[in-house]
Amino acid sequence: MLKRFAQMIALGGVFLAAPAQADDALHIYNFSDYFAEDTISNFIAKSGIDTRLDLFDSLDVLETRMLTGASGFDVVYPSSTVGERLIQAGALKPIDPASLGNYGNLDKDLLKLLAEQDPGNKYLVPYMWLTTGIAYNPDLVSKRLPDAPTNSLDIFFKPEIAQKFQDCGIGMVDAPNEVIPIALNYLGLDPYSTKAEDLEKAQELLLKLRPFIRHMQSGQLVSDMASGQLCLALMWSGDAGIAAARAEQAKSGVTVEYKIPKEGTIISFDTMAIPADAPHPDKALAFINYILEPKTVADISNYVYYANANAAATQLVDESIRNNPNIYPPQEVRGKLFVDKSLPPRQTRERTRVWTTFRAGGN
Ligand code: N2P
C-alpha cells in the first residue's frame, strides 16, 4: 500500500472517486476506438455475461485509477510500461496462461519482448502495438505549404513551419511518455536521457510548438482529423487509420494520411490485465480468452487499424492492413523505432513537470 501511495505521489497525487460498481456485470476499461463495433455485443451474445465498457484517453488516468485501487474494473488495457509499474505496485492479478485456452495464439516474439516489463509473462497479455506519428490532411497542408515535410518532425518542431498550420489546427496526443522521448530523439539525444540539460532542451522545443497547438485530447483527434477540423496531428497510427476510414465513409472529401517520421519514433505495446481487486476475475479471463480468438482480434484490427499481437490472427487481417507499412512497419523502418520504456520515479516526476508546463501553455 505504501508503495502504491509513493507512486501516486509520483504521478501528482490525483485521487479519484471509485465507481464502486457493486453489480454482476463484467467491467472493462479501455481506450476509445480500440474495439470493433460488435466486439462487446458478440461477447455478450456468446457468453451471456452482462458486460460494460468504460473509456479513457490518457494512460495517466488509467494508471492513477489502478494505483488508487477499488476501481471496480475487471479487465484493463495498460501499455506495457504502465503495466510494469502496476505489477511492481501489486495492483494486478497474475494470469495463468493455462486458464486461457487461446493463449497459444499469441506471437512468441512479442511475448519475449514483453517479458522485459513483465518477467515470465505473468500479468500482461499482449493486445496491439503501434507507433506515434504524423497524421495530416494533404489538401489543407499543401494549400498552406506546398512540399510540406510530412515525413519529418520538422513539421511540428520548426516553428516557422508549424505556424503555417495554426489556422487549420494542430493536434497532439496527451501522452508525455511518448512525446517527450520523441522530442529528445528528434534532437539527437537519448529518448530516455536522465540528464536535466537534455530534458530542458526538449522542454524548450515543445514550448516553441505550444502556441500552434489547438488541443491535446487524444480521443478527439480521430473525429477532428476525420472532419477536417484539424489539418495535422502527432497521433497514434491506428487512430489516424480510423480517421481516414471515417472521412471516406462520410464522403466529405476529407482525406487523412499517416507517416512514421523519418527521424524515428516510439513503438508502444498495449496489453490486457486484471486488477488485483477485480470483482469478477473469472469473467475477466473469459473475456480475455475471447479476445485471443483469432477471429475476434482480427475483426478488431480490421476496424481500428492497429497491428495485433496474435500470430494466428494474421491471416484473417485484411491484406490492405497487413501490408500497410504504417501499421506493420518493414524492417528498415523498425530500425528507427525505439521502444517505450519506464524511467525511475524521480525522472518520471521531472517529465511530468515538463508536460504540465507544456500543456498549460508554458505559463
Ligand atoms: C485507440 C488508442 C490507442 C492506444 N484509440 C494507444 N496506446
Side-chain angles (χ1 to χ4, degrees):
M1 191 62 213
L2 257 183
K3 213 166 172 190
R4 278 193 195 184
F5 188 71
Q7 295 216 8
M8 285 177 56
I9 298 294
L11 285 166
V14 186
F15 290 81
L16 291 167
Q21 295 128 338
D23 58 27
D24 276 350
L26 168 71
H27 285 270
I28 297 169
Y29 199 32
N30 195 2
F31 278 96
S32 59
D33 293 309
Y34 222 12
F35 286 135
E37 275 174 313
D38 54 4
T39 307
I40 301 289
S41 57
N42 284 349
F43 176 70
I44 296 174
K46 243 173 135 159
S47 66
I49 296 172
D50 185 12
T51 305
R52 313 277 161 80
L53 172 63
D54 280 88
L55 303 174
F56 60 85
D57 268 323
S58 143
L59 281 170
D60 294 349
V61 172
L62 169 70
E63 186 167 358
T64 306
R65 272 188 106 156
M66 288 301 104
L67 292 173
T68 309
S71 67
F73 293 116
D74 300 299
V75 181
V76 294
Y77 283 75
S79 67
S80 57
T81 50
V82 170
E84 178 182 21
R85 294 193 289 270
L86 295 180
I87 293 168
Q88 284 160 8
L92 298 181
K93 201 184 268 313
I95 295 178
D96 179 5
S99 59
L100 296 169
N102 295 321
Y103 196 84
N105 294 332
L106 286 166
D107 183 321
K108 309 271 176 305
D109 292 338
L110 275 181
L111 280 171
K112 223 189 268 163
L113 203 62
L114 192 58
E116 283 176 31
Q117 272 111 9
D118 173 17
N121 297 116
K122 291 210 176 89
Y123 296 86
L124 306 174
V125 179
Y127 181 55
M128 301 277 173
W129 55 276
L130 61 133
T131 56
T132 307
I134 304 164
Y136 63 100
N137 177 319
D139 299 329
L140 296 177
V141 164
S142 63
K143 231 174 255 157
R144 285 158 182 82
L145 186 65
D147 302 321
T150 51
N151 66 342
S152 165
L153 291 166
D154 286 348
I155 205 162
F156 297 106
F157 293 139
K158 289 215 152 101
E160 66 278 18
I161 300 181
Q163 56 119 8
K164 302 250 191 260
F165 308 112
Q166 184 175 15
D167 74 306
C168 59
I170 301 180
M172 180 180 273
V173 281
D174 183 10
N177 65 307
E178 297 169 23
V179 178
I180 295 174
I182 286 173
L184 284 161
N185 186 63
Y186 172 82
L187 290 169
L189 302 167
D190 172 4
Y192 296 100
S193 168
T194 51
K195 291 188 198 141
E197 68 262 31
D198 289 353
L199 198 55
E200 236 162 73
K201 285 181 199 146
Q203 165 157 332
E204 211 177 288
L205 187 73
L206 287 167
L207 287 179
K208 275 197 222 139
L209 163 65
R210 185 64 186 91
F212 312 124
I213 292 186
R214 189 170 299 162
H215 74 70
M216 297 164 72
Q217 291 145 22
S218 310
Q220 183 69 26
L221 296 174
V222 173
S223 52
D224 284 356
M225 284 304 297
S227 61
Q229 307 279 330
L230 290 173
C231 59
L232 190 62
L234 184 61
M235 68 190 280
W236 298 314
S237 45
D239 281 15
I242 303 169
R246 285 207 189 141
E248 204 179 314
Q249 277 153 19
K251 295 194 172 48
S252 55
V254 171
T255 52
V256 179
E257 301 278 343
Y258 175 85
K259 281 190 186 149
I260 295 178
K262 67 169 202 246
E263 295 86 355
T265 189
I266 189 165
I267 178 164
S268 335
F269 301 89
D270 287 327
T271 74
M272 301 183 271
I274 304 179
D277 56 5
H280 314 103
D282 291 339
K283 291 178 181 174
L285 286 171
F287 185 79
I288 293 173
N289 200 41
Y290 160 75
I291 297 291
L292 293 179
E293 282 173 23
K295 164 103 174 72
T296 308
V297 78
D299 285 350
I300 299 174
S301 280
N302 288 336
Y303 187 74
V304 299
Y305 300 88
Y306 284 99
N308 66 62
N310 191 310
T314 308
Q315 47 168 351
L316 302 173
V317 174
D318 293 344
E319 226 169 287
S320 60
I321 293 182
R322 233 191 302 151
N323 296 332
N324 184 331
N326 289 321
I327 303 177
Y328 289 85
Q331 205 43 52
E332 71 270 17
V333 178
R334 280 202 225 177
K336 292 228 132 204
L337 305 177
F338 54 87
V339 178
D340 183 22
K341 266 203 325 207
S342 268
L343 283 164
R346 190 166 68 86
Q347 272 81 28
T348 302
R349 265 198 311 276
E350 279 163 8
R351 290 186 177 212
T352 302
R353 216 169 14 244
V354 166
W355 194 251
T356 310
T357 311
F358 170 58
R359 216 177 17 196
N363 302 317

